[in-house]
Structures are given as structure tokens and as C-alpha cells.
Amino acid sequence: LYAQPVIDVDTGATTGVELLLRWHHPTLGLLAPDEFLELAESCDVAGWLGEWVLDRAAAISVLWSQQDSLSDFRLAVNLSPRQLAATDVVAAVSRALDRHGASPADFLVEITESVELASRPRAAAQVRGLLELGLSVGIDDFGSGFANMSYLRDLPVDVIKVDRALVSLEPTGHEEAILRAVTSVARAIGADVVLEGVERLEQLDLARRCGVQHAQGYLFGEPAPVGPRRPVGRVPQRG
Ligand code: G
Ligand code: MN
């Protein structure tokens, strides 16, 4: 399990991490979930993997909270479309929290926009169940899939994570207009915006100009293996 810092664009403080699954493959090297989740599903270990991530996330939150306060800090965990559609995630999350004595308020679950919740009543009900447990819910990859506003209409979404495809390395006027529209909607519904995939100061400047609260990307820190202390993102200075 790896973690990548999420920073506050105004203060530079690290306000959370996204936990990311990696596989150290003996010959192929380090693989990301999009490269092995399908395989995991086809040989029936996806359910186990999903539970393992939840269990580790709960354990890590407790470990980190013994070193540094977790107030104003959240651990984000990705839920796969299959986990939402085919497993009892609410039960799995609550077991993991109970096992380690972790607090639901320390977690954000990320649900990718590419799942169409409207056509999947079970998935939508599970998201509500997670909210009832006291976790926050974020829409991941926003703007890359169906750009499905019905998510924002139907669920009390806490966070919108703007996909890195929406803001290029040299942001254009059109990209700025779109980002402003997203932050305007987010403000109206009481959600925070995280800009993903920030690699350059120009993108951070754009985020600040457009009223984005948080950013994540190689500029502040790459995903690194989880250790005993929570990671700290660094905002590079100009020049
Ligand atoms: O779908 P999701 O947003 O959860 O995917 C996060 C992925 O994006 C991770 O695998 C992570 O390694 C990758 N990532 C994180 N920061 C950056 C970045 O600054 N640039 C690019 N290209 N990828 C990034
Ligand atoms: Mn994510």
C-alpha cells in the first residue's frame, strides 16, 4: 500500500493522503491497479484484496494518529466499481474500523465517476450506508467519464476530485473556464475540490485562481510506501 499527499493550495499544509495499491511484480516491476485489478477479479482475489486495503487503511490511521493528530487530515481509500456492486462494502468497512478501533471520520472513500450509480441501486445504497457510518464520500476522476451531475444531485458528496485529464501541463483558457465551473458547483453544494495530477507550478496557480481548495500530484510528492509516520507534501518555491 502506497500513499500520496494531498495539500491545501493556500497554506501548503498536508490535509490528507490517497492510499494506492501497488504490486511489486517479480519481472514486470511496480504495477498500478489498472494493470492488475482485472486479473485479480478473474482469479477471485479481488474481494480479498479489497478487504485487505480496508483493513490496512484502518490500521494505518490508528498508527499515524498515535504520532500526529488526525484532525484536519483524512485518508482516502478507493472503492472499485465491482466492490460497490458485488460485495457488502458497508459491512467490510465497519469490520475493519472495529477491528482496529479506527474512527470513520478519518476516512474519505473515493468512487470513480465511471460507475453509473443511477443504474445500480445497490451501489448507491452502499454509498449512503458509508455516509451513515460517518465516512466522507468523494467522486474520483471527475470530468473523465460520464461527467455525471446526477451524482452531485443525488448524494451529499463531500469532495470532487477533478481528473488530471481536465487540466493539462500548460493550462488553457478553456480548461480554466471548466475548472471555475466545477468549483462554482462544488461551492454551491458544500463540496471541496481536489485537483489531481498537479505536476507544475502553473497548474497550482490555476487551482488557486479558480477557487480549488486542495491539490495532489508529483509536484508535492509521489506515491510512496506507507510508513510509520504520515507523509508530508512539499510545495516547491519559485526560482
Ligand atoms: O484514479 P485515481 O485518481 O485514483 O488514480 C490515481 C493515480 O494517479 C495513481 O496511480 C497515481 O500514481 C497517479 N498520479 C498521482 N499523481 C500524479 C501526477 O502528478 N501525474 C500523473 N500523470 N499521475 C499521477
Ligand atoms: Mn482515487
Side-chain angles (χ1 to χ4, degrees), residues 19-41:
L19 295 174
L20 297 158
L21 193 58
R22 293 289 184 268
W23 178 14
H24 285 273
H25 189 281
T27 54
L28 299 174
L30 197 61
L31 302 180
D34 55 335
E35 297 167 292
F36 62 78
L37 268 192
E38 219 173 297
L39 175 65
E41 276 163 26

Side-chain angles (χ1 to χ4, degrees), residues 1-158:
L1 203 57
Y2 278 49
Q4 183 177 38
V6 176
I7 61 121
D8 180 305
V9 300
D10 294 320
T11 65
T14 305
T15 54
V17 294
E18 177 172 1
L19 295 174
L20 297 158
L21 193 58
R22 293 289 184 268
W23 178 14
H24 285 273
H25 189 281
T27 54
L28 299 174
L30 197 61
L31 302 180
D34 55 335
E35 297 167 292
F36 62 78
L37 268 192
E38 219 173 297
L39 175 65
E41 276 163 26
S42 69
C43 53
D44 266 349
V45 295
W48 174 84
L49 258 184
E51 296 218 18
W52 182 83
V53 169
L54 295 173
D55 183 82
R56 289 298 82 207
I60 288 156
S61 75
V62 173
L63 181 69
W64 287 352
S65 69
Q66 288 161 355
Q67 313 282 338
D68 309 280
S69 155
L70 288 191
S71 62
D72 307 314
F73 189 94
R74 262 191 316 218
L75 293 87
V77 177
N78 293 282
L79 289 184
S80 75
R82 186 192 157 279
Q83 250 175 312
L84 274 174
T87 71
D88 191 345
V89 227
V90 181
V93 166
S94 102
R95 271 199 307 275
L97 295 175
D98 287 350
R99 195 177 305 125
H100 298 282
S103 164
D106 294 339
F107 296 92
L108 171 76
V109 290
E110 296 189 7
I111 293 151
T112 179
E113 188 193 56
S114 66
V115 208
E116 259 209 280
L117 283 191
S119 61
R120 298 183 185 218
R122 172 147 195 218
Q126 298 220 77
V127 173
R128 286 179 200 289
L130 293 168
L131 285 161
E132 273 163 33
L133 280 184
L135 290 87
S136 300
V137 167
I139 302 304
D140 205 1
D141 310 318
F142 189 85
S144 69
F146 295 102
N148 201 337
M149 295 290 175
S150 65
Y151 267 58
L152 306 183
R153 184 196 60 195
D154 297 338
L155 292 167
V157 167
D158 301 288

Side-chain angles (χ1 to χ4, degrees), residues 148-211:
N148 201 337
M149 295 290 175
S150 65
Y151 267 58
L152 306 183
R153 184 196 60 195
D154 297 338
L155 292 167
V157 167
D158 301 288
V159 174
I160 297 174
K161 295 193 80 169
V162 173
D163 194 80
R164 64 174 169 276
L166 273 192
V167 175
S168 60
L169 294 177
E170 288 165 52
T172 65
H174 277 54
E175 289 170 353
E176 174 156 354
I178 292 167
L179 195 55
R180 281 185 195 280
V182 175
T183 55
S184 157
V185 170
R187 205 177 306 119
I189 63 169
D192 272 3
V193 175
V194 181
L195 181 61
E196 292 186 309
V198 173
E199 298 184 12
R200 291 197 179 172
L201 282 168
E202 289 79 354
Q203 294 170 301
L204 176 61
D205 290 339
L206 176 77
R208 289 181 175 135
R209 274 207 304 283
C210 294

